[in-house]
Amino acid sequence: MPDLARPRPTLLLLGGTTLLAVVVLALPAPALGLRITAIVVAFHVGMLALGRWAPGWPTAWAVLAPLSVLMVLPDWFLSAELGTLVFPDTGAPFLGTVPVFMAGMWTMALFPLVLLGDAVESRGGPRAALVAVAVAGLALFWAAELLAPVVPLWEPVGVRLVGGVAAYVLPAEVVLAVAAWLLVRDVDSRPRVRTTAGVVLLPFCYLGLLATSYQVLG
């Protein structure tokens, strides 16, 4: 799907979300979890609204939003069964052991990487885009894992930390970033059923990678 990374809507979405997050997180009320949920919802609404100027965005949202919802399942397993992840009660409703805002937060992380892949591919080709998405995904998720306990969003428990983050999650998150980019990149050239299958299967592949990585690095 070419021409996703249009400068004006990209700046409006990412800059606007950043500004909103700074303001809303600084407020004393309501509960932190509700404020985070509001930021996540605003990002999704903005992504769809700005699709008027970036026609590929609603299609990208249709791939990433359900993927983000299904990503609750690996988080649920890590927090409820493996016991390596804790989500503090910040006032948001929970889906099992996972705050409801996590059902939309993965889109917020993955869509900028999709935009980066599109921008790099248009200039340097698909190999350069793949490397860019992988490297940027590693940096983004490293930063997210480092900052999450500070907010607080989540916290690793009983696992090996490298550079302040749970090392075992990073390989799986890099693969997730690249796979999500590929799902969106080729969405117009594959049957819808294959895209649906990819969206459904990717969270389970991610969970398998997490389990393997935990055995080696956890």
Side-chain angles (χ1 to χ4, degrees):
M1 179 182 293
D3 203 22
L4 284 173
R6 298 191 176 187
R8 183 173 295 178
T10 298
L11 180 62
L12 285 172
L13 180 67
L14 301 185
T17 302
T18 301
L19 180 60
L20 177 66
V22 169
V23 172
V24 170
L25 291 178
L27 296 174
L32 175 63
L34 297 179
R35 283 177 278 149
I36 294 171
T37 302
I39 294 167
V40 173
V41 170
F43 180 91
H44 283 257
V45 171
M47 188 174 168
L48 290 172
L50 290 168
R52 178 178 179 181
W53 295 278
W57 284 23
T59 302
W61 181 88
V63 174
L64 296 177
L67 173 62
S68 187
V69 171
L70 290 173
M71 288 297 293
V72 168
L73 297 175
D75 285 338
W76 194 342
F77 177 82
L78 294 182
S79 54
E81 302 299 331
L82 197 58
T84 59
L85 188 63
V86 171
F87 292 97
D89 186 357
T90 54
F94 271 68
L95 299 169
T97 55
V98 183
V100 68
F101 55 74
M102 291 300 299
M105 191 168 284
W106 286 97
T107 300
M108 296 178 68
L110 294 171
F111 187 54
L113 298 174
V114 169
L115 294 177
L116 174 66
D118 180 73
V120 173
E121 184 173 12
S122 66
R123 294 166 175 80
R127 290 185 180 179
L130 188 149
V131 171
V133 171
V135 172
L138 177 61
L140 184 149
F141 286 116
W142 191 303
E145 298 290 341
L146 194 63
L147 293 175
V150 177
V151 176
L153 297 174
W154 65 82
E155 185 174 358
V157 177
V159 294
R160 182 184 306 166
L161 301 182
V162 177
V165 307
Y168 83 99
V169 302
L170 295 175
E173 288 174 337
V174 170
V175 172
L176 173 67
V178 172
W181 167 64
L182 291 173
L183 273 175
V184 175
R185 174 184 180 266
D186 298 327
V187 67
D188 292 332
S189 62
R190 75 168 75 90
R192 185 173 298 177
V193 65
R194 290 179 59 187
T195 298
T196 302
V199 168
V200 172
L201 292 174
L202 183 53
F204 297 98
C205 294
Y206 171 79
L207 180 55
L209 288 169
L210 280 176
T212 303
S213 185
Y214 175 72
Q215 287 181 300
V216 177
L217 301 174

